[in-house]
Amino acid sequence: MSERLDRLAKQKKQKRLILKLLFVLVLISAMLAVAAAYRAVTGKLSVMRMEVEESKEGVLEETLTGTAMVVQEETVLRSPADGRFENLVREKERVRRGAILGRLYTESGTESYDVTAPIAGVVLYQTDGLETVMVPSKLGDLHPQMFAYSIHVVRGVENLLHKGDAFAKIVNNLKPTGLVVKTEDTADPLADGQEVGVRYKNLDLGTARVISIERGNDYTLVGLIMSGFVMEVADRRSIPVELVIRRYEGIIVPTRALTTKAGRLGVYCLRKETVVFKEVQLVARKAGHSVVRGLDAGEYVVTTPDLVKEGMVMRR
């Protein structure tokens, strides 16, 4: 009888042990299932939140902005008598020395004077009083006072003139245009003799050479000689400009795509839905974009690198 009771007790104990083992196995299976589901959900969320952009060939520029005073060789024409001037030559037209520009008629109308060009150049029927101040020799003698002058443009055509009044000027178009640029950037990105690009209202004016630099506490003055005469600004004195200091050509990607892995700079790319890490070399960065080496144009770059890791399969 006692043997039978012992056997039953052992069977009950074994059943309880088996039930405990089954419970543990079920619990482990449930935990694994939850973990797998979590990975699947987070993976899908990562795919949904992941952003990708195609890399492209392009150029980033290092620029300076400022105000420029136009410096040219200008010869002022003055009225030979009281009267009104009527032009025969259009403004900005090139003329030879001695060409008749127009006639000055006295108020009585009984007399008229031929007005001829004292030199060859481009005709402008306006003056601003700075023709003898903004001369090419000033490009090597920079001073902030150059930007304190009051510019008062006077049109000479058909206005009543008094003897000696300035009413027109001839700009020597055989001499290159000069610019004195004032910028609030006090850094040191420029050097004498450096070639820079010049833009005015998104218009490319060409290249210029730095011939002088003057640095103050809160400004920098730069004297520039353009590569030639610039007709587009011949009738201007003060203009906003953008100087292109350096150009960086290469593959452009969003700067936020750059990341590091094991101390190496690179980006995550998509290759047939698989995330791969590609090491790159940074050339330059500006305004949220970077020029890099080590990528090809047309590669799909992940711009949210914190959401991915190498080897992930990104199925949408």
Side-chain angles (χ1 to χ4, degrees):
M1 185 69 177
S2 61
E3 291 180 0
R4 185 170 178 272
L5 292 174
D6 290 341
R7 188 169 57 252
L8 291 173
K10 287 181 180 180
Q11 289 176 350
K12 288 181 180 180
K13 189 175 181 180
Q14 289 175 349
K15 286 181 180 180
R16 286 196 297 269
L17 181 60
I18 291 172
L19 288 174
K20 287 181 180 180
L21 290 174
L22 289 174
F23 176 77
V24 171
L25 289 174
V26 170
L27 182 61
I28 292 174
S29 298
M31 292 175 64
L32 291 174
V34 170
Y38 175 78
R39 287 195 298 270
V41 171
T42 54
K44 289 181 179 179
L45 288 175
S46 294
V47 171
M48 293 172 62
R49 294 164 55 195
M50 182 185 69
E51 297 179 5
V52 176
E53 189 168 317
E54 186 178 1
S55 61
K56 299 178 181 179
E57 290 186 8
V59 177
L60 287 185
E61 296 177 334
E62 182 181 344
T63 61
L64 283 177
T65 57
T67 301
M69 300 295 283
V70 179
V71 179
Q72 307 171 118
E73 188 176 292
E74 303 169 339
T75 300
V76 175
L77 305 183
R78 298 186 179 277
S79 177
D82 294 349
R84 295 181 185 275
F85 174 76
E86 293 185 4
N87 62 299
L88 299 176
V89 175
R90 292 174 298 178
E91 189 161 49
K92 285 193 173 183
E93 188 172 333
R94 290 183 173 90
V95 296
R96 295 180 178 180
R97 179 180 178 181
I100 296 177
L101 305 179
R103 291 187 176 88
L104 181 85
Y105 294 92
T106 60
E107 286 191 89
S108 63
T110 57
E111 294 182 272
S112 65
Y113 299 86
D114 286 342
V115 177
T116 59
I119 63 169
V122 174
V123 180
L124 296 176
Y125 296 115
Q126 63 181 42
T127 59
D128 59 16
L130 299 180
E131 288 80 10
T132 59
V133 177
M134 296 298 173
V135 294
S137 61
K138 292 292 185 181
L139 291 173
D141 184 21
L142 305 180
H143 194 278
Q145 181 65 31
M146 300 174 73
F147 291 83
Y149 292 114
S150 176
I151 301 174
H152 180 60
V153 177
V154 176
R155 298 286 301 177
V157 177
E158 297 182 353
N159 289 331
L160 178 62
L161 300 172
H162 297 289
K163 184 177 181 179
D165 283 352
F167 68 95
K169 60 186 174 185
I170 308 291
V171 181
N172 188 345
N173 64 303
L174 299 180
K175 297 288 184 69
T177 301
L179 298 174
V180 178
V181 180
K182 182 179 182 181
T183 174
E184 295 181 357
D185 193 325
T186 57
D188 197 17
L190 292 170
D192 286 342
Q194 182 176 343
E195 295 285 331
V196 299
V198 182
R199 291 199 190 101
Y200 163 56
K201 292 184 176 179
N202 295 322
L203 178 65
D204 188 358
L205 299 183
T207 60
R209 179 171 54 88
V210 177
I211 64 170
S212 57
I213 301 175
E214 176 69 29
R215 294 183 174 88
N217 293 330
D218 57 356
Y219 67 88
T220 299
L221 299 180
V222 184
L224 300 173
I225 287 288
M226 299 295 298
S227 58
F229 179 73
V230 183
M231 178 66 82
E232 291 83 354
V233 298
D235 59 345
R236 299 286 187 267
R237 182 64 72 191
S238 177
I239 60 173
V241 294
E242 182 181 34
L243 304 183
V244 181
I245 308 303
R246 294 178 184 85
R247 289 168 53 89
Y248 303 96
E249 298 183 5
I251 302 300
I252 295 183
V253 299
T255 299
R256 66 181 184 275
L258 297 176
T259 187
T260 56
K261 180 183 178 184
R264 297 178 299 153
L265 180 68
V267 295
Y268 287 111
C269 301
L270 279 184
R271 298 279 180 82
K272 296 181 179 180
E273 298 186 338
T274 300
V275 176
V276 297
F277 180 81
K278 197 166 185 180
E279 188 173 356
V280 299
Q281 179 185 356
L282 178 64
V283 177
R285 67 175 69 189
K286 182 184 179 183
H289 285 83
S290 296
V291 175
V292 298
R293 295 193 183 99
L295 281 181
D296 296 322
E299 295 199 66
Y300 288 96
V301 176
V302 178
T303 59
T304 50
D306 293 342
L307 299 179
V308 299
K309 61 182 180 180
E310 190 167 22
M312 288 181 64
V313 177
M314 313 305 286
R315 294 190 179 92
R316 294 180 179 270

